[in-house]
Amino acid sequence: MKHTASALPEMPPCDVKPEPYQDMSKERMLDIRQNNCNPMTMKVTYYKKPVHIHQGYMQWLWDTDGRRYLDLFAGVATVSVGHCHPKVTAAAEKQLRRLWHTTSIYMYPTVHEYTDKLAALLPDPLKVVYLVNSGSEANDLAMLMARVHTGNFDIITLRGSYHGGSPLATGLTSNSAYKFPVASGFGCHNTMCPDVFRGPWGGRHCRDSPVQTVRNCSCSQDHCQANEMYIDQLKEMFATTVPNRIAAFFGEPIQGVGGAVQYPKNFLKETYKLVRERGGLCIADEVQTGFGRTGSHFWGFQGHGVLPDMVTMAKGIANGFPMAAVVTTQEIARSFAKGVHFNTFGGNPVACAIASSVLDTIKEDGSQHISANIGTYLLHELAKLREKYEIVGDVRGKGLMIGVEMVKNKASQEPLPPQDLGEIFEDTKDMGVLIGKGGLYGQTFRIKPPMCITKADADFFLAVFNRALQNYMERRLKP
């Protein structure tokens, strides 16, 4: 499509009319948020004038004034099949009328129905399911299981990764914004992230993405020197930082909070081999990449041609309802049964009914197919904006897991300052589109919508984003 900046882009139509908002005033909400909600709530609140969300339906959100927004961040890649999706809502309502809560001390159908469905979607031997309530909790559990099973302690993750904010998971997470000045994460080590755009090595054929970097390299299509250099960094960590035997390696198939960072195509495959040679388990963090979001595969790890020993998942698992899981092998599960693991809310009947409906809906609605088609279209069109604007440094991702990294200029690749990025961010919102932010320096726009968006929605966003970039460039060029 052609991205013109002359007229204000027109939002695609929507037949749904929101209910009139008649509850607490915006002023009162803000007062409570500032004085009674924990301070972090205000710290992470988007926009100078916060958006007061009242209602949602599929890819749309409405604020308390009745204004409609196209949601391209999905509650941080969490709303998988659409806000208040009718099929999922009906499943929740049906279960709420039958049974709200019991625990695994009793037998009840929904947990068995869901566990069977989920296990069927994972390759052998990943067939044992532990249900928990959040991604952080899932990664905590996976850490403990890996250490118990291997008898080893040290765990490796990639710099720029995010694996949760709990006391244990902050050790896995490698981003100073989520760190506190207290002792935590004993035994966790971070190795260089193989970021082929911002890292020291990268080229034109590295990523499993419709869009590559514009870095020059002399590699052939089937050979990646950058991958070899990043693997050498990992080998150096093994030689200098950890014992000869380790517990695990955690890796996101595509970094989420880190800004949709992708690795060279064979990096995870070679990393898994090196980790297993040292007695470690390989753990795929699918909290953001799972459930068809990458388009080509149901699970992100499948796109790397690897088979992990454990998979952690959350966010899109239940379309925004609190739920998460760890899936592993019978062998690892047996070793963990030496002690008692119990979770009061894990496998809650309502959560399982919702998550089961989400799996059905992904299949019935063709959500993975939408991710592949619309995501690829968005990536190609965003790449055109990269060619057009000096401040668009990189466009990357797969399916509806997309990052647009902003720079001062392409020559320096210095991150665009937060206040400058904020201008584009605010402008995009003011024209009716909600997107996210991420990256180590907050320099990357994150586009991870519900997997129900249409080409018309994509075109609307592209027109809005183009207009926001054009507005910023015009302001920057003013004397």
Side-chain angles (χ1 to χ4, degrees):
M1 67 170 292
K2 292 182 178 180
H3 309 293
T4 59
S6 56
L8 194 66
E10 185 176 348
M11 185 178 287
C14 174
D15 294 334
V16 174
K17 303 296 180 186
E19 299 172 5
Y21 181 76
Q22 299 174 333
D23 297 322
M24 186 181 293
S25 71
K26 290 188 285 186
E27 293 75 19
R28 178 62 179 143
M29 276 194 279
L30 185 59
D31 179 65
I32 292 171
R33 196 172 184 89
Q34 291 173 330
N35 295 293
N36 301 111
C37 294
N38 75 75
M40 285 295 172
T41 308
M42 202 64 215
K43 188 174 182 179
V44 300
T45 299
Y46 275 1
Y47 306 115
K48 293 176 182 176
K49 292 183 179 180
V51 179
H52 294 72
I53 298 299
H54 163 49
Q55 192 170 337
Y57 182 77
M58 301 305 281
Q59 66 269 50
W60 304 107
L61 290 171
W62 288 267
D63 67 14
T64 52
D65 296 321
R67 184 179 180 191
R68 180 161 57 105
Y69 298 88
L70 176 62
D71 180 14
L72 294 192
F73 201 34
V76 192
T78 301
V79 179
S80 47
V81 296
H83 294 281
C84 300
H85 192 292
K87 296 173 189 174
V88 180
T89 301
E93 290 175 348
K94 181 180 178 182
Q95 186 60 43
L96 281 166
R97 292 189 182 96
R98 181 180 295 157
L99 178 67
W100 281 35
H101 176 72
T102 184
T103 70
S104 54
I105 62 174
Y106 303 117
M107 304 277 283
Y108 52 98
T110 51
V111 70
H112 301 94
E113 292 167 0
Y114 179 67
T115 299
D116 184 54
K117 277 186 185 179
L118 182 61
L121 290 167
L122 285 134
D124 289 329
L126 296 167
K127 297 298 175 184
V128 182
V129 178
Y130 294 79
L131 295 174
V132 292
N133 308 287
S134 73
S136 295
E137 193 177 342
N139 284 329
D140 269 3
L141 178 58
M143 290 176 72
L144 178 59
M145 293 174 72
R147 284 169 168 165
V148 169
H149 179 72
T150 64
N152 303 325
F153 192 70
D154 292 78
I155 296 174
I156 296 172
T157 62
L158 300 174
R159 292 175 198 157
S161 63
Y162 181 84
H163 297 285
S166 63
L168 275 179
T170 51
L172 299 175
T173 294
S174 176
N175 185 320
S176 64
Y178 298 93
K179 300 287 190 179
F180 294 88
V182 295
S184 66
F186 294 112
C188 294
H189 312 273
N190 310 124
T191 191
M192 180 182 285
C193 175
D195 181 348
V196 297
F197 170 72
R198 183 158 292 282
W201 307 288
R204 290 182 177 271
H205 311 296
C206 299
R207 299 191 294 222
D208 177 23
S209 172
V211 179
Q212 299 293 331
T213 73
V214 295
R215 297 176 76 166
N216 291 318
C217 73
S218 58
C219 300
S220 61
Q221 287 278 3
D222 58 351
H223 179 248
C224 182
Q225 293 178 5
N227 183 59
E228 294 171 357
M229 301 302 289
Y230 289 116
I231 288 295
D232 283 345
Q233 290 293 310
L234 177 61
K235 289 178 178 177
E236 185 173 332
M237 162 168 266
F238 285 133
T240 62
T241 308
V242 295
N244 291 331
R245 307 292 289 176
I246 64 172
F249 166 80
F250 274 76
E252 302 162 90
I254 299 174
Q255 286 193 344
V257 174
V261 174
Q262 292 182 277
Y263 326 127
K265 293 170 189 171
N266 288 318
F267 178 80
L268 283 186
K269 189 177 291 185
E270 294 183 33
T271 295
Y272 275 30
K273 181 177 182 291
L274 291 170
V275 168
R276 285 170 172 152
E277 286 172 356
R278 288 155 180 81
L281 300 182
C282 298
I283 302 171
D285 182 335
E286 294 275 357
V287 170
Q288 293 198 30
T289 50
F291 301 95
R293 179 160 291 280
T294 62
S296 62
H297 299 85
F298 199 82
W299 305 108
F301 68 80
Q302 293 170 317
H304 292 272
V306 297
L307 180 62
D309 302 294
M310 277 192 259
V311 181
T312 60
M313 57 195 76
K315 291 191 181 288
I317 191 173
N319 205 44
F321 197 86
M323 191 179 190
V326 178
V327 184
T328 189
T329 68
Q330 289 283 0
E331 180 187 3
I332 294 169
R334 280 194 297 269
S335 68
F336 191 59
K338 296 169 185 173
V340 175
H341 167 73
F342 182 78
N343 191 300
T344 300
F345 295 106
N348 169 273
V350 178
C352 286
I354 291 171
S356 183
S357 179
V358 167
L359 290 182
D360 293 341
T361 301
I362 289 171
K363 182 177 180 181
E364 293 164 9
D365 288 8
S367 304
Q368 184 179 332
H369 184 69
I370 292 170
S371 289
N373 287 353
I374 303 299
T376 299
Y377 175 71
L378 275 168
L379 283 161
H380 283 307
E381 294 298 315
L382 287 165
K384 295 176 185 177
L385 296 182
R386 179 181 63 180
E387 296 171 8
K388 182 177 179 181
Y389 294 104
E390 181 69 11
I391 56 171
V392 180
D394 193 31
V395 172
R396 55 182 177 256
K398 278 184 72 177
L400 292 175
M401 182 92 175
I402 297 172
V404 181
E405 183 158 346
M406 309 301 292
V407 295
K408 288 182 179 179
N409 55 72
K410 287 183 170 67
S412 71
Q413 290 191 3
E414 289 184 46
L416 193 68
Q419 63 271 21
D420 294 62
L421 189 112
E423 292 180 29
I424 301 166
F425 192 60
E426 296 278 348
D427 215 3
T428 301
K429 179 264 293 182
D430 290 342
M431 286 186 276
V433 179
L434 305 179
I435 56 178
K437 295 184 291 185
L440 276 179
Y441 312 103
Q443 79 282 21
T444 302
F445 289 122
R446 298 164 67 195
I447 300 154
K448 302 169 184 181
M451 298 184 291
C452 59
I453 65 166
T454 66
K455 184 174 180 294
D457 300 329
D459 284 336
F460 173 62
F461 160 66
L462 291 163
V464 164
F465 193 53
N466 177 68
R467 179 68 176 268
L469 294 171
Q470 181 69 37
N471 290 347
Y472 171 81
M473 293 302 295
E474 288 175 358
R475 288 191 298 268
R476 191 163 93 163
L477 294 172
K478 282 184 179 179

